[in-house]
Amino acid sequence: MKNYADVITQYNKVQKFLGAQTIESSFNNLCKEYELSIQLLNLTLMVDFRVNAEKERKILQDDLKELTKFQEALAESITDANKKMDSACMNITNVDQKVSYIVEKVSAMAITMQSLGDKGANQTKIDSIFRESLLPFDDYEETVIFRGDKLRKYIHVKTKEEFAFKTVEKGHFNMVKNQVTILKKLKDCQNIIHFYGITDGSDKYYLVTEWAEHKNLREYLSGSEPNSAIKVRLGFAYDIAKGLNFLNAVKIVHRDIRSENIVITDRYIAKITNFKVSRGIEAATNNLAVDKECVRHSSPEMLRRGMTGEVMDTKRKYDTKCEVYSFGILLWEIAECRTPYSQYEDFMEITQKVIDGYREPFTPNTGIPERYQELVTSAVDQNPGLRPIFSKMLTALQDIFHSYDAESPASRPVSIKKRVPVRKDTAMFNWGSFNYLTIDKAVEEHKKGTMDKSIIYKCFDAYANMGNPKAKYYKAYYISKGWSDLICSQGERYKITANLYKEAADRGDEYPDAQLRYALMAMQGKGVEKDMDVAIEYLLKAANNDHLVAMFNVATYYFANNNNEMGKYYMIMAASKKYEEAINYCKVNNINM
């Protein structure tokens, strides 16, 4: 029995659920053997050992139920077996065995890589063991879509798949390559960004990952509220929990869990990314610094160390309890759709408040489930020992997500007027009604003009209700053309259209069409108060974003107001870009191009 206890207490959660039947069988056999031994001893003590046995059996059965739930949740994060994977894993159809295989594979690679690094092995030796070929740069073509100064969208020439190319500094090349060698093995988890490798082109190295259409979670939340339904956000929380548990299974600690390091794909799946500071659970992590970027999600014990400069011993290093705390803060952000401690700008003020035990409260009556709030409260407990383990958080979020009643008005935020379809596993919308179209696919079908416009409109309407600016533009366009299912007066239709155009127009400079159309509505006083200053403001935005119609209209406005210099500037610019009306205007008015 002692040996059994020693073994079972060392099992991690993955090992437990893989061997659940063996655990129960061994326990039952030990119980029988124990009872038989007591009878043979013929003790006179009047103790009913069966009572304790039944109690222990009940505890074990409850644990097994919990493990089964954990297994189901983790299995959801494993991608389709038909997708590309190494030949050994491809032949494994049982999810338990597949997870076990991945755990063993990744753990062995990580240990070997760490061992080589600890022994001071040169990169040549590492490369001889882990051969990692560069991806052919010519297989991809760049697009005009950027994310900051280091990330750009590329398209595969043959497959037309979308990829993210992130610039890698040459001094960090070997470090990134070693890390990606391991991270590529996590491709079977759909809640971790897929790493494809490294390529070189234009005198630069690039890390190649999958493309996340809806940017990071911080940007998504700040731009979508109040149009992002609770069910959607609960789905994001559940996704992240699956990803974190998968990392925990392969003994990787991310160490920088925050909304900027979670991305949202075109299918509205949340994925963990940015592994630049991740390490194995057993690796030394005493040198982890707390900076202004991660202070809002850092645990009080890490902040205390950063403030005092104390050196942490091996029992107090960054561990999964710190990671649980960061996840708890992230869950709060998902619920509130705002940045934690946003009212405090000073780095040290946030640090001191967290160390003193302050946590951001939940806003009352928003519809966030009470169980969710309780989970967050326990995850950010000041005492690390009282925080839940990742597997418990996963099963709790699994229950919260699947049991959330999106149909109940009392369980939704007051500000949300329509149910928001986003995930294929929610009961809020029938995605089959528009064949799982992405935004880009819907736009493509719109341009072809062969698909039923009512189906395309449903797609734009669904994504617009989630806050997608491109969808808002096209929804407004469909409403203006009479291709929607709205039943309302012409005046109300104008108001809805103008509001949608403005919301898209205000989302940066990516949607000059929306800027132009809102300008025209402000100029004509349709759906919005007539205001020429506002109209010109948005016309200029569109013109400065290379919209030819906007350039021409701005130019004619300046000419009408005797500002010939600016009029010529925009007219010549439009003409130089082959806009026919601008070319004709220049010819008629003798404007030299």
Side-chain angles (χ1 to χ4, degrees):
M1 292 181 76
K2 182 179 183 301
N3 290 338
Y4 174 81
D6 288 342
V7 171
I8 201 68
T9 53
Q10 293 178 30
Y11 272 20
N12 63 30
K13 274 289 183 181
V14 175
Q15 289 170 317
K16 280 186 178 179
F17 87 66
L18 292 178
Q21 297 300 321
T22 304
I23 294 170
E24 184 173 25
S25 176
S26 299
F27 177 79
N28 290 333
N29 290 336
L30 280 171
C31 286
K32 292 177 181 177
E33 184 180 348
Y34 183 66
E35 291 170 2
L36 179 61
S37 299
I38 292 298
Q39 292 174 9
L40 291 174
L41 285 172
N42 197 24
L43 295 178
T44 58
L45 293 174
M46 299 300 292
V47 180
D48 189 354
F49 291 100
R50 289 173 298 180
V51 174
N52 287 333
E54 286 301 319
K55 184 183 295 184
E56 294 300 323
R57 187 174 285 106
K58 177 65 167 60
I59 293 172
L60 179 65
Q61 289 173 346
D62 290 343
D63 283 346
L64 289 173
K65 288 180 181 178
E66 185 74 10
L67 289 171
T68 300
K69 287 171 59 180
F70 174 77
Q71 178 187 18
E72 292 171 353
L74 201 60
E76 285 184 25
S77 70
I78 304 298
T79 53
D80 195 319
N82 292 325
K83 291 192 175 181
K84 293 181 180 179
M85 58 187 72
D86 60 66
S87 57
C89 192
M90 188 184 301
N91 296 324
I92 301 174
T93 56
N94 182 280
V95 173
D96 299 353
Q97 294 175 351
K98 185 181 292 185
V99 173
S100 182
Y101 172 83
I102 297 169
V103 169
E104 292 175 7
K105 186 92 172 176
V106 175
S107 297
M109 289 180 65
I111 292 170
T112 304
M113 190 78 78
Q114 182 184 336
S115 175
L116 289 171
D118 293 342
K119 293 176 181 178
N122 60 34
Q123 189 62 37
T124 303
K125 186 172 182 178
I126 294 176
D127 291 342
S128 67
I129 297 176
F130 301 105
R131 299 184 183 277
E132 189 70 24
S133 301
L134 294 177
L135 298 171
F137 183 76
D138 291 339
D139 285 355
Y140 307 87
E141 58 182 8
E142 65 181 8
T143 70
V144 297
I145 300 176
F146 287 87
R147 298 273 170 84
D149 58 351
K150 289 187 177 181
L151 191 68
R152 186 167 188 166
K153 182 177 179 179
Y154 274 70
I155 304 290
H156 195 279
V157 175
K158 293 181 179 179
T159 66
K160 303 303 178 183
E161 290 180 271
E162 300 172 342
F163 296 89
F165 275 45
K166 186 173 184 179
T167 305
V168 177
E169 295 179 19
K170 290 187 177 181
H172 296 161
F173 173 75
N174 286 330
M175 179 187 71
V176 173
K177 183 165 70 68
N178 294 343
Q179 191 178 46
V180 171
T181 301
I182 296 173
L183 294 174
K184 282 173 63 178
K185 301 301 178 182
L186 305 182
K187 64 183 180 298
D188 295 307
C189 178
Q190 69 169 344
N191 300 116
I192 296 172
I193 199 76
H194 290 185
F195 291 84
Y196 296 98
I198 297 178
T199 187
D200 62 336
S202 305
D203 298 322
K204 291 182 181 179
Y205 287 109
Y206 298 96
L207 171 62
V208 183
T209 67
E210 66 178 308
W211 177 256
E213 181 65 27
H214 299 295
K215 304 182 181 180
N216 67 47
L217 183 60
R218 171 67 59 81
E219 294 171 303
Y220 179 89
L221 293 175
S222 63
S224 63
E225 202 279 330
N227 292 317
S228 181
I230 292 179
K231 182 77 172 183
V232 177
R233 288 178 277 143
L234 292 180
F236 291 158
Y238 183 36
D239 283 342
I240 300 165
K242 287 184 283 188
L244 285 171
N245 273 271
F246 195 90
L247 289 177
N248 193 43
V250 296
K251 299 186 178 180
I252 291 178
V253 183
H254 187 278
R255 305 201 308 165
D256 197 14
I257 293 299
R258 49 193 169 95
S259 54
E260 296 94 328
N261 292 334
I262 307 296
V263 293
I264 310 299
T265 69
D266 60 345
R267 293 290 297 276
Y268 290 85
I269 301 295
K271 300 197 176 197
I272 302 171
T273 187
N274 196 358
F275 286 76
K276 64 182 179 181
V277 294
S278 64
R279 289 190 181 176
I281 289 176
E282 304 303 325
T285 54
N286 292 346
N287 63 343
L288 179 63
V290 176
D291 58 24
K292 290 184 179 180
E293 291 184 359
C294 62
V295 64
R296 301 177 192 277
H297 293 78
S298 294
S299 64
E301 58 267 30
M302 290 300 296
L303 293 176
R304 188 179 297 109
R305 191 205 80 170
M307 178 176 282
T308 62
E310 64 182 278
V311 177
M312 302 179 77
D313 58 38
T314 55
K315 294 182 179 179
R316 299 173 63 195
K317 64 184 180 181
Y318 186 97
D319 57 14
T320 54
K321 291 298 182 182
C322 299
E323 198 103 305
V324 165
Y325 177 92
S326 298
F327 184 37
I329 297 295
L330 178 57
L331 291 178
W332 180 91
E333 185 175 352
I334 289 172
E336 293 288 319
C337 290
R338 55 193 173 98
T339 304
Y341 310 106
S342 57
Q343 68 274 36
Y344 305 110
E345 295 183 3
D346 185 76
F347 170 80
M348 292 306 297
E349 186 177 7
I350 297 173
T351 299
Q352 190 60 61
K353 282 189 170 292
V354 173
I355 289 175
D356 291 342
Y358 174 77
R359 303 290 185 270
E360 293 273 55
F362 282 95
T363 303
N365 304 317
T366 60
I368 296 296
E370 187 175 343
R371 283 187 61 196
Y372 184 98
Q373 298 183 42
E374 291 172 350
L375 180 65
V376 172
T377 301
S378 63
V380 298
D381 197 287
Q382 193 80 353
N383 184 347
L386 297 180
R387 297 170 197 161
I389 58 178
F390 272 130
S391 57
K392 290 288 186 182
M393 297 186 76
L394 174 60
T395 53
L397 287 168
Q398 179 190 36
D399 288 342
I400 292 168
F401 173 70
H402 287 303
S403 64
Y404 180 79
D405 182 11
E407 297 293 339
S408 171
S411 61
R412 283 184 278 127
V414 175
S415 59
I416 295 178
K417 298 179 180 179
K418 298 181 72 174
R419 289 185 291 130
V420 184
V422 285
R423 302 166 57 86
K424 64 179 181 180
D425 50 357
T426 70
M428 298 187 298
F429 190 83
N430 178 15
W431 282 78
S433 64
F434 52 83
N435 302 320
Y436 296 97
L437 294 180
T438 64
I439 289 294
D440 290 339
K441 183 65 176 176
V443 172
E444 182 183 329
E445 292 296 338
H446 158 72
K447 292 177 179 178
K448 287 180 181 178
T450 56
M451 182 178 283
D452 189 332
K453 285 184 171 58
S454 64
I455 295 177
I456 301 177
Y457 174 76
K458 286 182 180 180
C459 179
F460 290 142
D461 180 47
Y463 286 115
N465 288 336
M466 290 183 297
N468 184 287
K470 183 185 290 187
K472 287 182 178 181
Y473 167 76
Y474 278 99
K475 178 180 178 180
Y477 182 77
Y478 269 53
I479 292 173
S480 69
K481 292 292 186 180
W483 299 337
S484 73
D485 57 4
L486 285 179
I487 301 176
C488 59
S489 66
Q490 184 68 36
E492 187 64 26
R493 187 175 286 109
Y494 281 146
K495 287 181 181 179
I496 295 171
T497 303
N499 186 55
L500 287 168
Y501 279 143
K502 186 177 187 303
E503 287 179 4
D506 289 341
R507 285 292 295 273
D509 296 327
E510 296 181 38
Y511 306 101
D513 279 335
Q515 294 166 343
L516 171 67
R517 292 183 183 278
Y518 181 70
L520 296 176
M521 296 194 80
M523 190 179 294
Q524 299 167 11
K526 289 185 177 181
V528 64
E529 186 177 345
K530 187 174 182 178
D531 191 325
M532 284 302 297
D533 290 338
V534 171
I536 296 304
E537 175 190 347
Y538 280 87
L539 269 179
L540 281 169
K541 285 183 179 181
N544 292 330
N545 287 315
D546 290 335
H547 198 294
L548 301 183
V549 176
M551 289 180 190
F552 181 80
N553 279 274
V554 167
T556 56
Y557 170 80
Y558 279 127
F559 282 133
N561 286 274
N562 299 317
N563 190 338
N564 293 333
E565 183 179 352
M566 293 301 295
K568 287 181 179 180
Y569 172 79
Y570 280 103
M571 191 63 73
I572 291 172
M573 186 183 294
S576 68
K577 295 179 181 293
K578 311 299 182 185
Y579 186 60
E580 189 172 347
E581 289 191 47
I583 294 173
N584 292 335
Y585 188 98
C586 289
K587 289 179 178 178
V588 171
N589 293 279
N590 297 317
I591 298 174
N592 294 325
M593 295 185 289

